[in-house]
Amino acid sequence: MRIARYTTGEDLAYGIVEGGPGEEFILEVVGDPLYQTPQPTGQRVALADVRLLAPVIPRSKILGIGKNYAEHAKEMGGEAPKDPLVFLVPNTAVVGPDDPVVMPEITQEVSYEGELAVVIGRFCKDVPRERVDEVVYGYTIANDATARDLQRGDGQWARAKGLDTFCPLGPWIVTDLDTSDLSIVTRHNGKVVQDGTTADMIHDVAALVAHCSQAFTLLPGDVILTGTPAGVGLVESGDRVEIEIEGIGTLGNHFVRR
Ligand code: MG
């Protein structure tokens, strides 16, 4: 099932996305499917007639994972850490599909990072890896945009990863997905710059959720970013970055300066 959060220009709504590529439509549901079983309202709207919003705004937290692909760790000039490297991103960084990523004056080096994002569906703590499926609501795509100069200069990543608009999510949440070997492709102004597979994650989804839940109580709507494959690079104002993950879809955003 694909769960979208969207607007037709008035109130925001949630719905189930049905139909094949180019012919998708949305069946509106009552309330937020993260918190209640989706019940159709009877309203149906073409995907082309809505504006998709970030499929979830985490109420409590986004947990990012650094250097979870060996080739990316190498391109950043080091080895991957033995255990997952966890950082926090505020929910004010979240924007949706086609929303601009606004680069502030405090950074001159902004990079894209295409990533699989895990959406938590249940209140949980100390989840053993064999029970992770029970607490995952679904999966979406994230662009873990990063201010490299702030990342280097600050010595920790709160500003580098957490700037307003620096965490695009979307286009929707897919609730049933085998994430063991999904192709993940990032295009920068149409050119393929990242071409990886989730099979190359050092720590898989089950390991990441288990690890994060040892440190933090996870709440419905929390999001875990699973790290980016090799091929990160800097963007300039006006550039468009699209991230496509097999079984989910494509998330596209422009980077802009204002
Ligand atoms: Mg990242």
Side-chain angles (χ1 to χ4, degrees):
M1 193 162 55
R2 292 176 288 179
I3 302 289
R5 182 170 163 270
Y6 63 97
T7 180
T8 55
E10 298 172 6
D11 292 346
L12 77 83
Y14 293 85
I16 301 168
V17 181
E18 302 273 11
E23 295 178 345
E24 295 101 336
F25 57 91
I26 299 179
L27 301 175
E28 186 187 44
V29 297
V30 178
D32 184 342
L34 255 171
Y35 301 98
Q36 59 195 84
T37 305
Q39 293 187 352
T41 64
Q43 292 291 320
R44 173 186 159 134
V45 59
L47 181 65
D49 293 337
V50 310
R51 179 179 156 226
L52 290 175
L53 306 172
V56 58
I57 301 289
R59 290 185 182 181
S60 97
K61 59 195 164 298
I62 301 157
L63 297 168
I65 304 295
K67 300 179 183 173
N68 195 31
Y69 290 76
E71 289 301 310
H72 171 63
K74 203 180 289 179
E75 76 180 345
M76 295 305 288
E79 293 282 305
K82 181 173 151 287
D83 293 321
L85 172 61
V86 183
F87 57 91
L88 276 162
V89 179
N91 62 2
T92 41
V94 173
V95 291
D98 291 309
D99 284 340
V101 178
V102 180
M103 301 183 287
E105 287 180 7
I106 54 173
T107 175
Q108 300 306 314
E109 284 182 49
V110 175
S111 177
Y112 54 81
E113 292 188 355
E115 308 199 4
L116 176 72
V118 183
V119 182
I120 299 298
R122 282 177 54 180
F123 185 99
C124 59
K125 171 79 177 162
D126 292 327
V127 184
R129 69 165 285 140
E130 60 272 14
R131 295 191 65 186
V132 163
D133 277 353
E134 297 173 36
V135 306
V136 170
Y137 182 72
Y139 301 90
T140 189
I141 302 170
N143 190 338
D144 176 27
T146 304
R148 293 282 175 229
D149 43 1
L150 300 183
Q151 191 176 31
R152 282 194 310 271
D154 286 358
Q156 54 100 340
W157 302 358
R159 288 201 301 166
K161 302 283 194 178
L163 294 169
D164 287 350
T165 74
F166 268 45
C167 191
L169 295 176
W172 39 61
I173 298 168
V174 175
T175 56
D176 303 296
L177 193 63
D178 176 354
T179 60
S180 59
D181 185 11
L182 298 175
S183 119
I184 172 165
V185 172
T186 303
R187 290 181 290 270
H188 180 194
N189 292 336
K191 180 184 164 211
V192 173
V193 286
Q194 294 187 291
D195 187 359
T197 161
T198 57
D200 288 338
M201 285 184 189
I202 297 168
H203 308 284
D204 64 9
V205 166
L208 295 177
V209 174
H211 182 78
C212 290
S213 76
Q214 289 178 335
F216 306 107
T217 298
L218 302 178
L219 304 186
D222 281 354
V223 170
I224 300 175
L225 313 178
T226 59
T228 198
V232 298
L234 301 181
V235 296
E236 293 180 7
S237 186
D239 288 0
R240 182 171 176 82
V241 174
E242 291 181 344
I243 301 156
E244 183 171 2
I245 298 183
E246 184 181 1
I248 303 180
T250 302
L251 170 69
N253 300 85
H254 282 94
F255 286 73
V256 301
R257 287 198 187 272
R258 286 186 173 150

